[in-house]
Amino acid sequence: MASPGGAVGPPSPAVNGFRRLWQDLHDIGRSRDTGGYNRFAWTREDHDLREWFTAQCQQRGLDVTTDRMGNQWAWWGDPDAAVAAGDPGVVIGSHLDSVPDGGAFDGPLGVVGALAAIDHLRATGFTPTRPIGAVNFVDEEGARFGVACAGSRVITGVLGADRARGLTDRDGTSMAEAMRAAGRDPGTLGRDDETLARIGTFVELHVEQGRRLVDLGHAVGVGSDIWPHGRWRVDLPGEANHAGTTRLEDREDAMLGLAAMIIAARRAATQHGCVATVGKVNVVPGGVNAIASGATGWLDARGADADAVRRVVADVGAVVADFDGLVTQESWTPTTMFDPALAQQMAARLGGVPVIGTGAGHDAGILANDGIRTAMLFVRNPTGVSHSPDEWASADDCVAGVLALADVVSDLAGADAVRGDATDEQAEGPAA
Ligand code: GLV
Ligand code: MN
Ligand code: MN
């Protein structure tokens, strides 16, 4: 297999470790029925993943710290000395949580890839001239408390501490309560300037969640931008009553508003050239033979143009108003540009790989919008499927991503370029 940069270096035993790292995570939060993953913030599974990350970092002699939100950072070198010298470090990593019944790659590829890249750099004798950090962001998907990228949003102050603490899951458990149950003090939440100052550059390795790299014939690509996107909660009122004895004309059925809202979202997205999704609903009381007294649907809307996304939400809002419903914005991420010069530098270094945009949100985007020099590397996804148990990437492509990451880090954190290639053993890595 050719390395992402086109150059072929010595086989690295450290990159061979990628498969072992990957296997460590295989069973954590995995559904026996679907093979998908359920790894939500501050649950048992999240705890196990965090413990795994800590143990792996400690085995490598990396100093592990947690920030005000509980994101985990591990450092090779002294990040504060670098800050004092005015030349902060290079951070790589991603997240280990998942959407409900999610895939194995979205997030873990970037965390496992960060550890494997560090192993590779070390095995090839690389000496960093800047500290290198590995991060595991907490609650990137927002699957439990509703706000995506909660870990990076809280430390950048985009998500306020009081609001974060008060977010609730389906069972009514607040984030503050969940954090306390997981042994963390929610009182620490807030913007974390000390942590942010340590990040000179952030590079997130991630599985592609589309088919651009397939079409372009590349195993690895560099990120250019993220579409503007947001989430809105839509509450629709109704009146509980008997399904058999209440005349149709006497009903206040919350489900009719919900149905109209879902259809309106699709129609408006088509009209304005966007995408819109209602993937989560809650119906009260939820009885087959009871008219719904309330219904909530969550609208996820995205597109290349922020004004067009806003028009989708406005159109949906107009329909919802006809049913006396209420639309509440839960999050909004504006158009996000990764550092264009860095993207070009990385693409050139990796042998002219494509620079592509995405409609998926990432912690990298939140950091970029906070003014941090940020980049992403994407690994080819043969089907493009993501947020599904069917999400997949080949072992060769994952290793190509790790090698690309190591190569980029060697460029950003030191004078010596490091390149490598996969061996046959590596090619047996993560499987379907
Ligand atoms: C995160 O994966 C998102 O784009 O919703
Ligand atoms: Mn995701
Ligand atoms: Mn992700």
Side-chain angles (χ1 to χ4, degrees):
M1 186 194 78
S3 74
V8 177
S12 162
V15 173
N16 284 338
F18 180 72
R19 187 175 69 177
R20 184 179 44 74
L21 288 168
W22 193 259
Q23 278 304 320
D24 283 352
L25 301 183
H26 183 265
D27 290 338
I28 303 178
R30 186 166 191 266
S31 157
R32 288 212 191 110
D33 296 335
T34 66
Y37 287 91
N38 293 287
R39 297 164 167 171
F40 309 138
W42 309 121
T43 59
R44 175 86 233 166
E45 292 74 22
D46 191 43
H47 168 85
D48 292 350
L49 291 161
R50 291 169 66 83
E51 292 279 291
W52 174 85
F53 182 75
T54 302
Q56 289 300 326
C57 294
Q58 286 172 345
Q59 276 174 31
R60 289 165 175 76
L62 307 175
D63 289 331
V64 182
T65 61
T66 50
D67 62 26
R68 294 184 64 180
M69 174 64 182
N71 303 303
Q72 298 176 293
W73 306 80
W75 285 98
W76 176 10
D78 182 346
D80 295 322
V83 171
D87 191 12
V90 177
V91 180
I92 53 181
S94 188
H95 60 96
L96 292 174
D97 67 312
S98 77
V99 297
D101 212 23
F105 295 79
D106 175 358
L109 178 60
V111 177
V112 170
L115 296 171
I118 288 172
D119 289 347
H120 180 68
L121 289 167
R122 286 177 162 176
T124 48
F126 174 74
T127 308
T129 55
R130 287 184 187 84
I132 296 172
V135 62
N136 170 31
F137 279 107
V138 71
D139 202 5
E140 193 270 353
E141 300 289 4
R144 183 171 178 193
F145 297 105
V147 177
C149 299
S152 53
R153 280 187 209 269
V154 166
I155 63 161
T156 55
V158 175
L159 174 58
D162 285 341
R163 180 160 172 243
R165 282 188 282 261
L167 294 169
T168 52
D169 68 10
R170 253 186 207 279
D171 301 327
T173 303
S174 70
M175 185 185 283
E177 289 164 340
M179 289 183 77
R180 257 187 238 107
R184 285 209 63 82
D185 174 11
T188 64
L189 262 56
R191 181 173 168 93
D192 192 332
D193 284 312
E194 194 182 357
T195 294
L196 295 169
R198 293 174 177 156
I199 316 169
T201 306
F202 178 59
V203 183
E204 181 169 357
L205 175 70
H206 205 278
V207 68
E208 197 200 349
Q209 297 167 294
R211 297 188 76 255
R212 290 288 302 283
L213 291 173
V214 176
D215 294 344
L216 294 166
H218 281 266
V220 173
V222 174
S224 56
D225 64 287
I226 298 177
W227 275 1
H229 59 281
R231 294 182 183 184
W232 292 263
R233 195 183 72 240
V234 181
D235 292 305
L236 293 143
E239 201 173 271
N241 214 330
H242 196 284
T245 59
T246 315
R247 293 184 308 178
L248 291 178
E249 57 269 34
D250 291 340
R251 295 178 183 214
E252 294 291 337
D253 187 346
M255 295 304 277
L256 297 186
L258 182 67
M261 182 281 258
I262 294 168
I263 300 294
R266 175 64 179 242
R267 189 177 299 131
T270 305
Q271 188 180 341
H272 299 301
C274 296
V275 290
T277 308
V278 181
K280 176 178 166 182
V281 299
N282 189 33
V283 178
V284 181
V288 178
N289 53 355
I291 295 161
S293 61
T296 302
W298 281 266
L299 170 69
D300 178 311
R302 315 183 189 209
D305 176 43
D307 290 339
V309 178
R310 292 290 189 190
R311 282 195 287 276
V312 170
V313 180
D315 285 4
V316 172
V319 170
V320 167
D322 286 344
F323 291 85
D324 297 325
L326 189 67
V327 179
T328 309
Q329 180 175 296
E330 294 203 322
S331 65
W332 170 252
T333 306
T335 305
T336 301
M337 298 302 300
F338 296 119
D339 188 291
L342 177 58
Q344 289 308 326
Q345 177 184 330
M346 287 169 47
R349 183 173 179 89
L350 298 173
V353 300
V355 181
I356 58 173
T358 180
H362 300 283
D363 292 307
I366 305 298
L367 297 188
N369 287 333
D370 196 58
I372 292 172
R373 189 165 86 127
T374 300
M376 289 195 75
L377 280 171
F378 293 117
V379 167
R380 176 167 51 197
N381 176 339
T383 62
V385 170
S386 186
H387 286 184
S388 153
D390 292 337
E391 177 186 87
W392 191 73
S394 76
D396 280 355
D397 286 357
C398 290
V399 170
V402 172
L403 293 172
L405 183 64
D407 194 5
V408 163
V409 170
S410 74
D411 187 31
L412 298 172
D416 305 314
V418 173
R419 296 193 180 206
D421 199 8
T423 63
D424 288 341
E425 190 188 337
Q426 291 150 21
E428 292 166 24

